Amino acid sequence: DWGTELWDQFEVLERHTQWGLDLLDRYVKFVKERTEVEQAYAKQLRSLVKKYLPKRPAKDDPESKFSQQQSFVQILQEVNDFAGQRELVAENLSVRVCLELTKYSQEMKQERKMHFQEGRRAQQQLENGFKQLENSKRKFERDCREAEKAAQTAERLDQDINATKADVEKAKQQAHLRSHMAEESKNEYAAQLQRFNRDQAHFYFSQMPQIFDKLQDMDERRATRLGAGYGLLSEAELEVVPIIAKCLEGMKVAANAVDPKNDSQVLIELHKSGFARPGDVEFEDFSQPMNRAPSDSSLGTPSEGRPELRGPGRIRTKRWPFGKKNKTVVTEDFSHLPPEQQRKRLQQQLEERSRELQKEVDQREALKKMKDVYEKTPQMGDPASLEPQIAETLSNIERLKLDVQKYEAWLAEAESRVLSNRGDSLSRHARPPDPPASAPPDSSSNGGSQDTKESSEEPPSEESQDTPIYTEFDEDFEEEPTSPIGHCVAIYHFEGSSEGTISMAEGEDLSLMEEDKGDGWTRVRRKEGGEGYVPTSYLRVTLN
């Protein structure tokens, strides 16, 4: 231990313990700057994600329907989650390393200061004892010389015949006094020496070794804590590795989710107009007016049989797919859109109005129930206070019913347009086109044989032409089974004993089929099958 092996290295231990505390502070500073780097990195990632995220909501952005766009948005979300994990690393390092080690460093500095103050006090006490020993030694040496000198003086006067008896007695008394003082100084020096040796042994064998051992224990505890701090640097990373792995896996899933075929179909569904393909352009014979009498060449008004080549009589039908599109005026029935797009938009509006209508009907039922409760128990509320809300709900229901009827009529008209366009297109292209009259004989014969071959195949009958049209129409508007609008977890057990309710166990996962309409009940579906109502307060609900 330090108290035994380094008993004489007080300054070395002082420098070493100070170096250890400086190293602890340097590591804290390093981790602090590391957290700043992580925070800046996370901030830049979040700014990058925000820059590239779509600005419009998904429902208003047609591009959000493509798998490529959906995958890109998912990757952006995963990068945003990854940035959140970097922020978590920075937070953990800041709290668990910077704050705690800074506090621990202050405690270590106070403890070190206390131990070295105790050591310096012990050194000062030993130095003071040594000074006292030196003083008593010098006093003893001086008194001995004075006593010897006084003894020599008394002996010389005793042998001097000229000296008086009084001088001789006086000199002898002085010599005796000096000898007595020297003896006292000797005893004092001996006692001081014994005391110093005892203090010195205590200093080197007990007091300082204990202080050095305390410093050793303090330094080892500091090193242990610093090592644990080193470990926290990796632990903070390891804690977020599973989430980061999920983020990377999510990016991989997003990459694999790109479906080119589906995107092509989405493009078709978004922009399919429903118009029939243009028919053959009719031949306009402008040579007819040239067969005229010579008198017709005179200047003046054209003859009655001659068509006007300019002006309103010469109107060329515009082929819409290749013409410049004029600015359209948006109408409520979406008649400015192509037939297929008009049908889809009208269908969407009809579904939205139907949902709003059902919501208002449910709200009216809930208000009626509440009014009945108030009438039966007046202390719960005034039934008259609900009348304005009921009246407003009824007004909304009437308005929405009119909207539904209006959109249903427009939708029926749009569907008839789509069907007629499909029928015209199929009847026009049911047979192959005739070969051109000016074709060479070889190519004509080849073309004719090819046409004959194609025509020899069984042509689609009138019934078979109509079948896919109405089948597609029926598929578009077939009523699909209700799909969940979210999921929920049962917080408590519920026993559905009354009609329309369903039982559920605590912790059971359920599909959310219909939200609470204000009456405190939510419709759910169990995984084993069966639907019914359960109390809303018994659920933890998550909407899609």
Side-chain angles (χ1 to χ4, degrees), residues 339-384:
E340 188 70 24
Q341 301 300 321
Q342 181 190 15
R343 183 185 66 80
K344 291 181 180 179
R345 293 297 297 273
L346 288 173
Q347 184 70 25
Q348 293 175 359
Q349 292 294 325
L350 181 59
E351 292 175 356
E352 290 180 5
R353 296 300 190 281
S354 299
R355 283 196 296 268
E356 292 178 7
L357 177 60
Q358 185 60 40
K359 186 176 180 181
E360 292 293 336
V361 170
D362 294 338
Q363 180 71 14
R364 182 186 62 180
E365 295 299 326
L367 290 172
K368 285 184 177 180
K369 291 180 181 179
M370 191 178 297
K371 182 178 179 181
D372 293 340
V373 172
Y374 286 177
E375 289 175 350
K376 294 178 181 178
T377 54
Q379 61 271 20
M380 295 186 65
D382 184 11

Short mmCIF file of all heavy atoms in Angstrom, two decimals, residues 339-384:
data_model
loop_
_atom_site.label_atom_id
_atom_site.label_comp_id
_atom_site.label_asym_id
_atom_site.label_seq_id
_atom_site.Cartn_x
_atom_site.Cartn_y
_atom_site.Cartn_z
N PRO A 339 -65.08 11.53 -67.62
CA PRO A 339 -66.16 10.74 -67.01
C PRO A 339 -65.69 9.84 -65.87
O PRO A 339 -66.32 9.78 -64.81
CB PRO A 339 -66.70 9.92 -68.19
CG PRO A 339 -66.36 10.73 -69.39
CD PRO A 339 -65.08 11.41 -69.10
N GLU A 340 -64.59 9.12 -66.07
CA GLU A 340 -64.14 8.19 -65.03
C GLU A 340 -63.72 8.93 -63.77
O GLU A 340 -64.05 8.54 -62.66
CB GLU A 340 -62.97 7.36 -65.57
CG GLU A 340 -62.54 6.22 -64.67
CD GLU A 340 -63.56 5.10 -64.60
OE1 GLU A 340 -64.36 4.95 -65.56
OE2 GLU A 340 -63.59 4.39 -63.58
N GLN A 341 -62.98 10.04 -63.94
CA GLN A 341 -62.56 10.82 -62.79
C GLN A 341 -63.76 11.49 -62.12
O GLN A 341 -63.81 11.60 -60.89
CB GLN A 341 -61.55 11.89 -63.21
CG GLN A 341 -60.30 11.34 -63.86
CD GLN A 341 -59.55 10.41 -62.93
OE1 GLN A 341 -59.46 10.67 -61.73
NE2 GLN A 341 -59.02 9.32 -63.47
N GLN A 342 -64.74 11.91 -62.92
CA GLN A 342 -65.94 12.49 -62.33
C GLN A 342 -66.67 11.47 -61.47
O GLN A 342 -67.13 11.78 -60.37
CB GLN A 342 -66.87 13.00 -63.44
CG GLN A 342 -68.15 13.64 -62.92
CD GLN A 342 -69.15 13.93 -64.02
OE1 GLN A 342 -69.01 13.40 -65.12
NE2 GLN A 342 -70.14 14.74 -63.73
N ARG A 343 -66.77 10.23 -61.99
CA ARG A 343 -67.46 9.18 -61.22
C ARG A 343 -66.75 8.93 -59.89
O ARG A 343 -67.39 8.82 -58.84
CB ARG A 343 -67.51 7.89 -62.03
CG ARG A 343 -68.26 6.76 -61.35
CD ARG A 343 -68.16 5.49 -62.14
NE ARG A 343 -66.80 4.99 -62.18
CZ ARG A 343 -66.23 4.31 -61.18
NH1 ARG A 343 -66.92 4.07 -60.08
NH2 ARG A 343 -65.00 3.87 -61.29
N LYS A 344 -65.42 8.88 -59.90
CA LYS A 344 -64.67 8.62 -58.67
C LYS A 344 -64.83 9.75 -57.67
O LYS A 344 -65.04 9.52 -56.47
CB LYS A 344 -63.20 8.41 -59.00
CG LYS A 344 -62.92 7.13 -59.75
CD LYS A 344 -61.44 6.99 -60.02
CE LYS A 344 -61.15 5.69 -60.77
NZ LYS A 344 -59.72 5.53 -61.09
N ARG A 345 -64.74 10.99 -58.16
CA ARG A 345 -64.88 12.12 -57.23
C ARG A 345 -66.29 12.19 -56.65
O ARG A 345 -66.47 12.48 -55.46
CB ARG A 345 -64.55 13.42 -57.96
CG ARG A 345 -63.10 13.53 -58.38
CD ARG A 345 -62.15 13.54 -57.18
NE ARG A 345 -62.38 14.69 -56.34
CZ ARG A 345 -61.80 15.88 -56.52
NH1 ARG A 345 -60.96 16.05 -57.53
NH2 ARG A 345 -62.04 16.89 -55.71
N LEU A 346 -67.30 11.92 -57.49
CA LEU A 346 -68.67 11.92 -56.98
C LEU A 346 -68.87 10.80 -55.97
O LEU A 346 -69.56 10.97 -54.95
CB LEU A 346 -69.66 11.77 -58.14
CG LEU A 346 -69.81 12.98 -59.05
CD1 LEU A 346 -70.67 12.64 -60.25
CD2 LEU A 346 -70.41 14.17 -58.28
N GLN A 347 -68.24 9.64 -56.24
CA GLN A 347 -68.34 8.53 -55.28
C GLN A 347 -67.70 8.91 -53.94
O GLN A 347 -68.25 8.62 -52.88
CB GLN A 347 -67.64 7.29 -55.87
CG GLN A 347 -67.75 6.04 -55.02
CD GLN A 347 -69.16 5.48 -55.01
OE1 GLN A 347 -69.92 5.71 -55.93
NE2 GLN A 347 -69.51 4.79 -53.95
N GLN A 348 -66.55 9.57 -53.99
CA GLN A 348 -65.89 10.02 -52.76
C GLN A 348 -66.78 11.00 -51.99
O GLN A 348 -66.93 10.90 -50.77
CB GLN A 348 -64.55 10.65 -53.08
CG GLN A 348 -63.51 9.68 -53.63
CD GLN A 348 -62.24 10.39 -54.04
OE1 GLN A 348 -62.13 11.63 -53.93
NE2 GLN A 348 -61.27 9.63 -54.55
N GLN A 349 -67.32 11.98 -52.72
CA GLN A 349 -68.17 12.97 -52.05
C GLN A 349 -69.41 12.32 -51.46
O GLN A 349 -69.84 12.67 -50.35
CB GLN A 349 -68.58 14.06 -53.06
CG GLN A 349 -67.43 14.93 -53.53
CD GLN A 349 -66.87 15.77 -52.40
OE1 GLN A 349 -67.60 16.21 -51.51
NE2 GLN A 349 -65.56 15.96 -52.40
N LEU A 350 -69.97 11.34 -52.17
CA LEU A 350 -71.16 10.65 -51.66
C LEU A 350 -70.83 9.88 -50.39
O LEU A 350 -71.60 9.90 -49.42
CB LEU A 350 -71.71 9.71 -52.74
CG LEU A 350 -72.98 8.92 -52.36
CD1 LEU A 350 -74.13 9.87 -52.01
CD2 LEU A 350 -73.38 8.00 -53.51
N GLU A 351 -69.68 9.21 -50.38
CA GLU A 351 -69.28 8.47 -49.18
C GLU A 351 -69.03 9.42 -48.01
O GLU A 351 -69.42 9.12 -46.87
CB GLU A 351 -68.02 7.65 -49.48
CG GLU A 351 -68.26 6.51 -50.45
CD GLU A 351 -66.96 5.81 -50.83
OE1 GLU A 351 -65.90 6.27 -50.38
OE2 GLU A 351 -67.03 4.81 -51.56
N GLU A 352 -68.39 10.56 -48.27
CA GLU A 352 -68.15 11.53 -47.19
C GLU A 352 -69.47 12.06 -46.64
O GLU A 352 -69.64 12.16 -45.42
CB GLU A 352 -67.30 12.67 -47.72
CG GLU A 352 -65.86 12.29 -48.02
CD GLU A 352 -65.06 13.47 -48.53
OE1 GLU A 352 -65.62 14.59 -48.56
OE2 GLU A 352 -63.88 13.28 -48.92
N ARG A 353 -70.40 12.42 -47.53
CA ARG A 353 -71.69 12.93 -47.06
C ARG A 353 -72.45 11.85 -46.28
O ARG A 353 -73.11 12.14 -45.28
CB ARG A 353 -72.54 13.40 -48.25
CG ARG A 353 -71.98 14.58 -49.01
CD ARG A 353 -71.82 15.81 -48.13
NE ARG A 353 -71.51 17.02 -48.88
CZ ARG A 353 -70.31 17.33 -49.35
NH1 ARG A 353 -69.30 16.51 -49.13
NH2 ARG A 353 -70.11 18.46 -50.02
N SER A 354 -72.33 10.60 -46.73
CA SER A 354 -73.02 9.52 -46.03
C SER A 354 -72.45 9.32 -44.63
O SER A 354 -73.19 9.11 -43.67
CB SER A 354 -72.91 8.22 -46.83
OG SER A 354 -73.51 8.36 -48.11
N ARG A 355 -71.13 9.42 -44.53
CA ARG A 355 -70.52 9.29 -43.19
C ARG A 355 -70.94 10.44 -42.29
O ARG A 355 -71.25 10.24 -41.11
CB ARG A 355 -68.99 9.25 -43.33
CG ARG A 355 -68.45 7.91 -43.82
CD ARG A 355 -66.95 7.81 -43.56
NE ARG A 355 -66.22 8.80 -44.33
CZ ARG A 355 -65.70 8.59 -45.53
NH1 ARG A 355 -65.88 7.42 -46.14
NH2 ARG A 355 -65.01 9.53 -46.15
N GLU A 356 -70.94 11.65 -42.83
CA GLU A 356 -71.37 12.80 -42.03
C GLU A 356 -72.83 12.65 -41.62
O GLU A 356 -73.20 12.99 -40.47
CB GLU A 356 -71.17 14.08 -42.84
CG GLU A 356 -69.72 14.44 -43.10
CD GLU A 356 -69.59 15.69 -43.94
OE1 GLU A 356 -70.63 16.33 -44.20
OE2 GLU A 356 -68.46 16.02 -44.35
N LEU A 357 -73.65 12.15 -42.54
CA LEU A 357 -75.06 11.96 -42.22
C LEU A 357 -75.23 10.94 -41.10
O LEU A 357 -76.00 11.16 -40.15
CB LEU A 357 -75.82 11.50 -43.47
CG LEU A 357 -77.32 11.19 -43.29
CD1 LEU A 357 -78.07 12.42 -42.79
CD2 LEU A 357 -77.93 10.70 -44.61
N GLN A 358 -74.50 9.82 -41.19
CA GLN A 358 -74.60 8.81 -40.13
C GLN A 358 -74.11 9.36 -38.80
O GLN A 358 -74.68 9.06 -37.74
CB GLN A 358 -73.76 7.58 -40.53
CG GLN A 358 -73.87 6.40 -39.57
CD GLN A 358 -75.29 5.89 -39.46
OE1 GLN A 358 -76.00 5.81 -40.46
NE2 GLN A 358 -75.72 5.55 -38.26
N LYS A 359 -73.08 10.17 -38.85
CA LYS A 359 -72.57 10.78 -37.62
C LYS A 359 -73.61 11.70 -36.99
O LYS A 359 -73.81 11.69 -35.76
CB LYS A 359 -71.28 11.56 -37.93
CG LYS A 359 -70.59 12.11 -36.72
CD LYS A 359 -69.28 12.78 -37.11
CE LYS A 359 -68.58 13.35 -35.89
NZ LYS A 359 -67.30 14.02 -36.27
N GLU A 360 -74.28 12.49 -37.81
CA GLU A 360 -75.30 13.39 -37.29
C GLU A 360 -76.49 12.60 -36.73
O GLU A 360 -77.07 12.97 -35.70
CB GLU A 360 -75.79 14.34 -38.39
CG GLU A 360 -74.75 15.35 -38.84
CD GLU A 360 -74.42 16.36 -37.76
OE1 GLU A 360 -75.27 16.57 -36.85
OE2 GLU A 360 -73.31 16.92 -37.79
N VAL A 361 -76.84 11.49 -37.41
CA VAL A 361 -77.94 10.64 -36.90
C VAL A 361 -77.57 10.05 -35.55
O VAL A 361 -78.37 10.04 -34.60
CB VAL A 361 -78.27 9.54 -37.92
CG1 VAL A 361 -79.23 8.52 -37.32
CG2 VAL A 361 -78.87 10.15 -39.19
N ASP A 362 -76.34 9.57 -35.44
CA ASP A 362 -75.90 9.01 -34.15
C ASP A 362 -75.87 10.10 -33.08
O ASP A 362 -76.22 9.85 -31.91
CB ASP A 362 -74.51 8.40 -34.31
CG ASP A 362 -74.52 7.19 -35.24
OD1 ASP A 362 -75.61 6.59 -35.40
OD2 ASP A 362 -73.46 6.85 -35.79
N GLN A 363 -75.45 11.29 -33.47
CA GLN A 363 -75.43 12.39 -32.51
C GLN A 363 -76.84 12.72 -32.03
O GLN A 363 -77.06 12.98 -30.84
CB GLN A 363 -74.78 13.62 -33.17
CG GLN A 363 -74.69 14.85 -32.29
CD GLN A 363 -73.67 14.69 -31.17
OE1 GLN A 363 -72.86 13.78 -31.20
NE2 GLN A 363 -73.74 15.55 -30.18
N ARG A 364 -77.80 12.70 -32.97
CA ARG A 364 -79.18 12.98 -32.59
C ARG A 364 -79.70 11.91 -31.62
O ARG A 364 -80.36 12.24 -30.61
CB ARG A 364 -80.05 13.01 -33.84
CG ARG A 364 -81.53 13.37 -33.54
CD ARG A 364 -82.37 13.24 -34.78
NE ARG A 364 -82.38 11.86 -35.27
CZ ARG A 364 -83.05 11.46 -36.34
NH1 ARG A 364 -83.71 12.32 -37.08
NH2 ARG A 364 -83.01 10.19 -36.72
N GLU A 365 -79.38 10.65 -31.88
CA GLU A 365 -79.82 9.57 -30.99
C GLU A 365 -79.22 9.75 -29.60
O GLU A 365 -79.89 9.55 -28.59
CB GLU A 365 -79.44 8.21 -31.58
CG GLU A 365 -80.15 7.88 -32.88
CD GLU A 365 -81.66 7.81 -32.70
OE1 GLU A 365 -82.12 7.39 -31.62
OE2 GLU A 365 -82.39 8.20 -33.64
N ALA A 366 -77.92 10.11 -29.58
CA ALA A 366 -77.27 10.32 -28.28
C ALA A 366 -77.91 11.47 -27.52
O ALA A 366 -78.11 11.40 -26.29
CB ALA A 366 -75.78 10.57 -28.50
N LEU A 367 -78.22 12.55 -28.23
CA LEU A 367 -78.86 13.69 -27.57
C LEU A 367 -80.25 13.31 -27.06
O LEU A 367 -80.66 13.76 -25.97
CB LEU A 367 -78.95 14.86 -28.54
CG LEU A 367 -77.62 15.54 -28.89
CD1 LEU A 367 -77.81 16.56 -30.00
CD2 LEU A 367 -77.03 16.21 -27.66
N LYS A 368 -80.97 12.48 -27.82
CA LYS A 368 -82.29 12.04 -27.35
C LYS A 368 -82.17 11.21 -26.08
O LYS A 368 -82.95 11.36 -25.14
CB LYS A 368 -82.98 11.23 -28.46
CG LYS A 368 -83.54 12.09 -29.60
CD LYS A 368 -84.29 11.22 -30.59
CE LYS A 368 -84.91 12.07 -31.70
NZ LYS A 368 -85.65 11.22 -32.68
N LYS A 369 -81.19 10.32 -26.07
CA LYS A 369 -80.98 9.51 -24.86
C LYS A 369 -80.64 10.40 -23.67
O LYS A 369 -81.15 10.21 -22.56
CB LYS A 369 -79.86 8.51 -25.10
CG LYS A 369 -80.21 7.40 -26.08
CD LYS A 369 -79.04 6.44 -26.26
CE LYS A 369 -79.37 5.36 -27.27
NZ LYS A 369 -78.23 4.42 -27.46
N MET A 370 -79.78 11.38 -23.91
CA MET A 370 -79.40 12.29 -22.83
C MET A 370 -80.61 13.09 -22.35
O MET A 370 -80.79 13.33 -21.14
CB MET A 370 -78.28 13.22 -23.30
CG MET A 370 -77.63 14.03 -22.20
SD MET A 370 -76.29 15.07 -22.83
CE MET A 370 -75.18 13.79 -23.43
N LYS A 371 -81.45 13.50 -23.30
CA LYS A 371 -82.65 14.26 -22.92
C LYS A 371 -83.58 13.39 -22.07
O LYS A 371 -84.15 13.87 -21.07
CB LYS A 371 -83.36 14.74 -24.17
CG LYS A 371 -84.61 15.59 -23.89
CD LYS A 371 -85.23 16.08 -25.19
CE LYS A 371 -86.50 16.90 -24.89
NZ LYS A 371 -87.14 17.35 -26.15
N ASP A 372 -83.74 12.11 -22.46
CA ASP A 372 -84.57 11.21 -21.66
C ASP A 372 -84.02 11.06 -20.25
O ASP A 372 -84.77 11.03 -19.26
CB ASP A 372 -84.65 9.83 -22.35
CG ASP A 372 -85.41 9.91 -23.67
OD1 ASP A 372 -86.17 10.89 -23.85
OD2 ASP A 372 -85.22 9.01 -24.51
N VAL A 373 -82.70 10.96 -20.15
CA VAL A 373 -82.07 10.84 -18.83
C VAL A 373 -82.34 12.09 -18.00
O VAL A 373 -82.67 12.02 -16.81
CB VAL A 373 -80.56 10.58 -18.97
CG1 VAL A 373 -79.88 10.64 -17.60
CG2 VAL A 373 -80.31 9.22 -19.61
N TYR A 374 -82.21 13.28 -18.62
CA TYR A 374 -82.45 14.52 -17.90
C TYR A 374 -83.92 14.63 -17.45
O TYR A 374 -84.21 15.15 -16.36
CB TYR A 374 -82.11 15.72 -18.79
CG TYR A 374 -80.62 15.95 -18.95
CD1 TYR A 374 -80.12 16.96 -19.79
CD2 TYR A 374 -79.70 15.15 -18.27
CE1 TYR A 374 -78.78 17.18 -19.95
CE2 TYR A 374 -78.35 15.36 -18.43
CZ TYR A 374 -77.89 16.36 -19.27
OH TYR A 374 -76.55 16.56 -19.42
N GLU A 375 -84.84 14.14 -18.31
CA GLU A 375 -86.25 14.21 -17.94
C GLU A 375 -86.57 13.28 -16.78
O GLU A 375 -87.39 13.61 -15.90
CB GLU A 375 -87.11 13.86 -19.16
CG GLU A 375 -87.10 14.93 -20.24
CD GLU A 375 -87.87 14.50 -21.48
OE1 GLU A 375 -88.22 13.29 -21.55
OE2 GLU A 375 -88.11 15.34 -22.38
N LYS A 376 -85.91 12.12 -16.74
CA LYS A 376 -86.15 11.17 -15.65
C LYS A 376 -85.44 11.62 -14.37
O LYS A 376 -85.96 11.42 -13.27
CB LYS A 376 -85.67 9.78 -16.05
CG LYS A 376 -86.49 9.18 -17.20
CD LYS A 376 -85.93 7.82 -17.59
CE LYS A 376 -86.72 7.23 -18.75
NZ LYS A 376 -86.18 5.91 -19.19
N THR A 377 -84.26 12.20 -14.52
CA THR A 377 -83.50 12.65 -13.34
C THR A 377 -83.13 14.12 -13.55
O THR A 377 -82.06 14.43 -14.08
CB THR A 377 -82.24 11.80 -13.14
OG1 THR A 377 -81.49 11.82 -14.35
CG2 THR A 377 -82.58 10.37 -12.76
N PRO A 378 -84.01 15.04 -13.18
CA PRO A 378 -83.76 16.47 -13.44
C PRO A 378 -82.50 17.00 -12.78
O PRO A 378 -81.95 18.01 -13.25
CB PRO A 378 -85.01 17.15 -12.87
CG PRO A 378 -86.05 16.07 -12.83
CD PRO A 378 -85.33 14.79 -12.56
N GLN A 379 -82.05 16.37 -11.68
CA GLN A 379 -80.87 16.89 -11.01
C GLN A 379 -79.60 16.76 -11.87
O GLN A 379 -78.60 17.44 -11.62
CB GLN A 379 -80.63 16.19 -9.66
CG GLN A 379 -80.38 14.69 -9.76
CD GLN A 379 -81.68 13.89 -9.70
OE1 GLN A 379 -82.74 14.46 -9.95
NE2 GLN A 379 -81.57 12.62 -9.36
N MET A 380 -79.65 15.91 -12.89
CA MET A 380 -78.48 15.75 -13.76
C MET A 380 -78.38 16.84 -14.81
O MET A 380 -77.29 17.08 -15.36
CB MET A 380 -78.51 14.38 -14.45
CG MET A 380 -78.38 13.21 -13.49
SD MET A 380 -78.26 11.64 -14.37
CE MET A 380 -76.71 11.84 -15.21
N GLY A 381 -79.47 17.50 -15.14
CA GLY A 381 -79.40 18.57 -16.13
C GLY A 381 -80.78 19.00 -16.60
O GLY A 381 -81.79 18.34 -16.31
N ASP A 382 -80.80 20.11 -17.35
CA ASP A 382 -82.05 20.65 -17.86
C ASP A 382 -82.31 20.11 -19.26
O ASP A 382 -81.49 20.32 -20.18
CB ASP A 382 -81.96 22.18 -17.90
CG ASP A 382 -83.28 22.81 -18.33
OD1 ASP A 382 -84.29 22.08 -18.40
OD2 ASP A 382 -83.28 24.03 -18.62
N PRO A 383 -83.42 19.40 -19.49
CA PRO A 383 -83.70 18.87 -20.84
C PRO A 383 -83.82 19.98 -21.89
O PRO A 383 -83.46 19.78 -23.05
CB PRO A 383 -85.01 18.11 -20.67
CG PRO A 383 -85.13 17.84 -19.19
CD PRO A 383 -84.45 18.99 -18.51
N ALA A 384 -84.32 21.14 -21.49
CA ALA A 384 -84.49 22.23 -22.45
C ALA A 384 -83.16 22.73 -23.00
O ALA A 384 -83.10 23.30 -24.10
CB ALA A 384 -85.25 23.38 -21.79
#
